[in-house]
Amino acid sequence: MAEINQGVRETVNSQATHAFTHTLSRAAISALTPIAAVLVALAFGAALLSLNGFNGSDVVTVMVFGSFQDMRSVGEILLKATPLILIGAGLCVAFRCSIWNIGAEGQLYVGAIAATLVGTSIDGLSVWVHAPLVMLAGALAGAAWAGIAGYLKVRFQASEIVTTIMLNYIALILTSYLVTGPMRDASAAYPQSARLVREAWTPRLVTDLRLHIGILVALVLAVGLYIFLRRSSRGFALRVVGLNPHAARYAGMNVARNVMIAICISGAMAGLAGAFEVAGVTRRLYQNISPGYGFEGIAVALLAGNNPLAAILSGGLFATLRSGSEVLQITSQVPQVLVLVIQGIVILSVVAFAKLRDVLRIVA
Amino acid sequence: MDDMMLLTFLATLVGAAWRLATPLIFASIGEVFSERAGVLNIGLEGTMLVGAFCGFAAASATGNIPLGLLAGVAGGMLFGLVFAFFTITIKADQIVVGAALNLLGMGLTAFLFRTYYVSTGKGIDIAQPVHIPWLSDLPFLGEAFFRQNLIVYSTILAAILATLVLYRTSFGLTLRAVGEHPKAVDVAGRSVPGYRYAAVLVGTGFAGLGGAFLTLGHSNQFVEGMTSGRGFIALAVVVFARWSPIGAFFVSLLFGLFYALQLMLQAQASIVVPYQVLQALPYIMTIITLVVFRGKGAAPSKLGQPYEMR
């Protein structure tokens, strides 16, 4: 009896070990894909630099490591990582549901507009009330702006790719109108809004750094969205709708509602990112508060394989590259737009390696 | 006198509309080919930028506009080759690859422009309006229709040629079949990937031409992101036009009218609406277009789907 038990235990153990190593190797392969993709992109960037008379090795020495000089520069990287993680994690939810929300940039701007309105028009609130209120306003506005595209998709089958991009342009033009017109601070030479009242500012994490608590909010929300997608029944429904809307409909799921939820979550995250830019960094609204975080967030989500938890890492990586590209522009006059090229190549490489992985899996 | 001013305004408006529609006409006719074969290329925006930049670079090096246009087409097709490789050969998601190519097109052109041209600030000689005896001198009609450059006139030719190729040749028939019933094409012994490559190359060649028009026939400079959404608007034009080249021509003209109206009303001091409202007009109309002219009836049934050979 004991021997049989022993035998059973061993079998179970060996199966468990086998399953464990299998999971481990799968995890290793899925971790290798993004790493390989980033390496290919950096190599491409280096080649592009050397072909055009710059120093190719700068891509590694300056872009990757150049921005880790002191606490302040690390703080600046985390400051850039905040909107990227927020937007990237939010887009993971939309992309998992097969909603191609390309409009995070516009949703960020609308979030920033709402945050500015709430942060400049109310006075006398405690920071405990006003700062969260500003964040909430940003998130709601972002969700509503994305919701327009969601509604047009579920009601009129209008492609969300085109509508979200058009809403980007409209949000940018709206911002331009507001800061040159109704919201303009008349005393300022440059078109910008009035400054947010102090209680509306996002509290700083360390007193002498610009870094604010937004990075913590971003981390918590990214973990939260991971659990939501993986563990909640709503998250499951979103993924089923993304994989096969017909099957979802047969299973009794409300496809339209799930699409709306997914696109509004991604919009809320982008809107929140916009609120943090205004309330945590610039303190005012002006025309170019985002250097394209909304578009970069797409690359963040794709590099993360649409996993919000992995978006923390890929967001951090893209923030590092962005900081590095700024250093590179200052030290070697390399145009900072190099970072866009690297993002594009990262996406293409992720796609190519993912296919290669499938092929290898079939062969093995 | 007021009537005269209105007529002059309208004549100028129509003339400007056609000019401003030209990049859209080329890009959307090209995208009709691509989508008819089942390939949705949302990378048009980046492709047009590449065309605009290549056209500008070639023309500023040689001073030759036809050569510039050719470079624009070639640049677009080179970009299209990358798109085709990833979406047709590797069978990657067309939207993801398109998004990557938009970033790449924006980044590469801005990088090269800042590296080589931005400090020179030099413009190029662009295509000049051709003077057609008698017609160009007609009152109003001359201004509206007969004072364009050759690139603008060639849009008519492009629309007619595209229609003939798509509906009157065996190539066009097979290409359309690839977007509807790729298996039938496969069984008939023709290569589905081959036709899709061809369709994408035609599409991106046209997009490159549309981009090149911006630098060679419209503004005399390259500006970063100068397509400002035209590649995406072209996608909406194709839906509105029900995947027909002639339709794409006229729908683009309508969008050209929005652009022209925006520019001309901005110049009118008496207009009370903020200029941003006019600026937003083409984008708002694109959304309205998608909502009003919905219905997948005319869409190629295999649009956006990779073809798996058995």
Side-chain angles (χ1 to χ4, degrees):
Chain A
M1 195 65 180
E3 272 171 23
I4 295 171
N5 263 344
Q6 182 67 27
V8 167
R9 198 168 296 141
E10 265 172 19
T11 321
V12 169
N13 270 348
S14 89
Q15 270 174 359
T17 325
H18 184 75
F20 179 70
T21 47
H22 185 68
T23 322
L24 205 65
S25 66
R26 268 188 59 186
I29 291 174
S30 11
L32 276 179
T33 306
I35 292 171
V38 169
L39 290 180
V40 168
L42 290 178
F44 189 93
L48 188 66
L49 286 194
S50 1
L51 279 176
N52 292 290
F54 298 105
N55 188 354
S57 62
D58 278 356
V59 165
V60 177
T61 54
V62 184
M63 274 190 87
V64 181
F65 298 110
S67 36
F68 291 98
Q69 284 155 348
D70 45 27
M71 271 305 285
R72 203 195 62 78
S73 55
V74 173
E76 288 297 303
I77 292 178
L78 291 175
L79 196 68
K80 291 186 171 66
T82 306
L84 291 178
I85 293 172
L86 284 168
I87 295 170
L91 287 180
C92 288
V93 176
F95 292 171
R96 270 292 164 92
C97 192
S98 287
I99 304 300
W100 298 105
N101 176 6
I102 316 287
E105 185 79 354
Q107 291 141 24
L108 182 153
Y109 270 91
V110 173
I113 292 171
T116 310
L117 283 174
V118 172
T120 52
S121 59
I122 312 172
D123 203 358
L125 291 178
S126 138
V127 64
W128 293 99
V129 180
H130 208 169
L133 206 60
V134 164
M135 297 177 208
L136 188 69
L140 286 178
W145 199 249
I148 298 175
Y151 177 74
L152 295 178
K153 182 183 174 68
V154 298
R155 176 74 180 74
F156 301 106
Q157 295 90 45
S159 156
E160 77 278 16
I161 301 170
V162 177
T163 54
T164 51
I165 289 167
M166 294 304 127
L167 287 168
N168 279 342
Y169 290 106
I170 296 170
L172 282 162
I173 292 169
L174 180 66
T175 309
S176 142
Y177 166 67
L178 290 174
V179 296
T180 54
M183 285 172 76
R184 179 169 185 162
D185 177 2
S187 63
Y190 185 75
Q192 57 184 13
S193 75
R195 201 160 75 162
L196 275 67
V197 298
R198 192 167 285 272
E199 291 75 24
W201 294 5
T202 311
R204 286 191 166 164
L205 208 53
V206 189
T207 38
D208 46 350
L209 290 186
R210 291 207 297 167
L211 187 62
H212 53 76
I213 61 162
I215 184 72
L216 299 182
V217 176
L219 294 179
V220 169
L221 286 177
V223 175
L225 286 181
Y226 173 78
I227 296 170
F228 167 75
L229 271 180
R230 279 297 172 89
R231 296 270 177 265
S232 75
S233 56
R234 174 64 67 197
F236 176 73
L238 292 188
R239 286 187 288 141
V240 174
V241 168
L243 285 172
N244 189 339
H246 302 294
R249 199 168 284 125
Y250 276 117
M253 293 169 180
N254 185 336
V255 173
R257 179 183 295 166
N258 283 300
V259 165
M260 284 303 285
I261 290 173
I263 199 167
C264 287
I265 287 178
S266 61
M269 296 289 278
L272 184 58
F276 280 136
E277 285 310 293
V278 167
V281 186
T282 64
R283 316 287 195 223
R284 291 173 189 272
L285 181 68
Y286 51 87
Q287 261 170 40
N288 301 313
I289 48 161
S290 162
Y293 288 137
F295 299 110
E296 201 162 346
I298 299 170
V300 169
L302 292 173
L303 182 64
N306 297 337
N307 174 345
L309 210 53
I312 296 173
L313 292 177
S314 63
L317 175 81
F318 277 115
T320 309
L321 292 178
R322 182 167 277 282
S323 283
S325 71
E326 282 172 12
V327 178
L328 199 55
Q329 167 130 29
I330 296 163
T331 56
S332 326
Q333 288 78 50
V334 174
Q336 210 212 316
V337 285
L338 176 68
V339 85
L340 293 178
V341 178
I342 291 185
Q343 286 166 19
I345 299 289
V346 164
I347 299 177
L348 287 183
S349 317
V350 166
V351 167
F353 282 120
K355 285 290 164 182
L356 193 66
R357 204 174 64 193
D358 290 348
V359 171
L360 289 179
R361 196 172 286 157
I362 292 165
V363 171
Chain B
M1 191 61 201
D2 260 3
D3 286 352
M4 287 292 282
M5 274 182 58
L6 184 68
L7 272 177
T8 317
F9 178 84
L10 283 178
T12 321
L13 185 72
V14 172
W18 192 6
R19 262 191 305 283
L20 289 160
T22 297
L24 280 178
I25 295 174
F26 285 130
S28 56
I29 287 180
E31 182 65 9
V32 165
F33 274 84
S34 192
E35 293 194 13
R36 281 286 185 160
V39 184
L40 176 70
N41 186 357
I42 73 156
L44 278 191
E45 178 81 359
T47 312
M48 288 180 83
L49 277 172
V50 170
F53 179 79
C54 291
F56 172 77
S60 72
T62 64
N64 187 332
I65 294 172
L67 209 65
L69 291 172
L70 214 60
V73 173
M77 289 173 89
L78 199 69
F79 228 53
L81 205 58
V82 178
F83 182 82
F85 174 75
F86 276 92
T87 55
I88 301 165
T89 305
I90 296 192
K91 301 193 185 82
D93 192 295
Q94 294 172 3
I95 294 165
V96 174
V97 176
L101 286 190
N102 283 334
L103 284 171
L104 215 54
M106 177 81 207
L108 273 176
T109 54
F111 177 85
L112 293 173
F113 180 69
R114 286 192 205 174
T115 306
Y116 294 107
Y117 296 100
V118 76
S119 52
T120 68
K122 231 173 52 189
I124 47 175
D125 296 326
I126 61 168
Q128 293 302 316
V130 282
H131 187 268
I132 308 171
W134 191 69
L135 285 176
S136 298
D137 302 322
L138 282 176
F140 308 117
L141 287 178
E143 174 69 37
F145 298 109
F146 303 109
R147 287 182 205 166
Q148 309 285 9
N149 62 42
L150 282 177
I151 314 174
V152 176
Y153 289 127
S154 71
T155 54
I156 299 179
L157 194 69
I160 294 172
L161 264 179
T163 308
L164 289 178
V165 169
L166 213 50
Y167 298 101
R168 292 277 179 271
T169 65
S170 145
F171 171 80
L173 177 69
T174 316
L175 190 140
R176 284 182 290 132
V178 163
E180 300 286 352
H181 284 286
K183 203 167 277 176
V185 176
D186 203 0
V187 170
R190 302 206 181 165
S191 159
V192 173
Y195 274 90
R196 287 202 165 162
Y197 261 85
V200 167
L201 289 181
V202 170
T204 49
F206 269 117
L209 182 61
F213 170 79
L214 286 173
T215 45
L216 300 172
H218 186 59
S219 122
N220 66 339
Q221 260 290 352
F222 179 81
V223 179
E224 287 172 29
M226 72 190 302
T227 44
S228 53
R230 285 181 174 85
F232 300 114
I233 293 178
L235 295 176
V237 168
V238 173
V239 176
F240 189 173
R242 306 264 157 170
W243 292 267
S244 121
I246 299 284
F249 179 86
F250 286 108
V251 175
S252 298
L253 276 184
L254 183 66
F255 274 89
L257 201 65
F258 299 141
Y259 276 109
L261 209 58
Q262 165 216 326
L263 287 178
M264 292 180 64
L265 290 181
Q266 275 184 44
Q268 301 271 314
S270 57
I271 298 290
V272 282
V273 288
Y275 76 91
Q276 286 97 345
V277 173
L278 302 169
Q279 230 181 359
L281 198 64
Y283 307 115
I284 295 171
M285 291 314 295
T286 303
I287 294 180
I288 294 176
T289 296
L290 277 183
V291 169
V292 175
F293 297 90
R294 65 180 190 276
K296 294 217 162 199
S301 63
K302 294 289 182 281
L303 188 58
Q305 297 171 15
Y307 178 66
E308 300 286 348
M309 248 183 294
R310 303 274 167 222

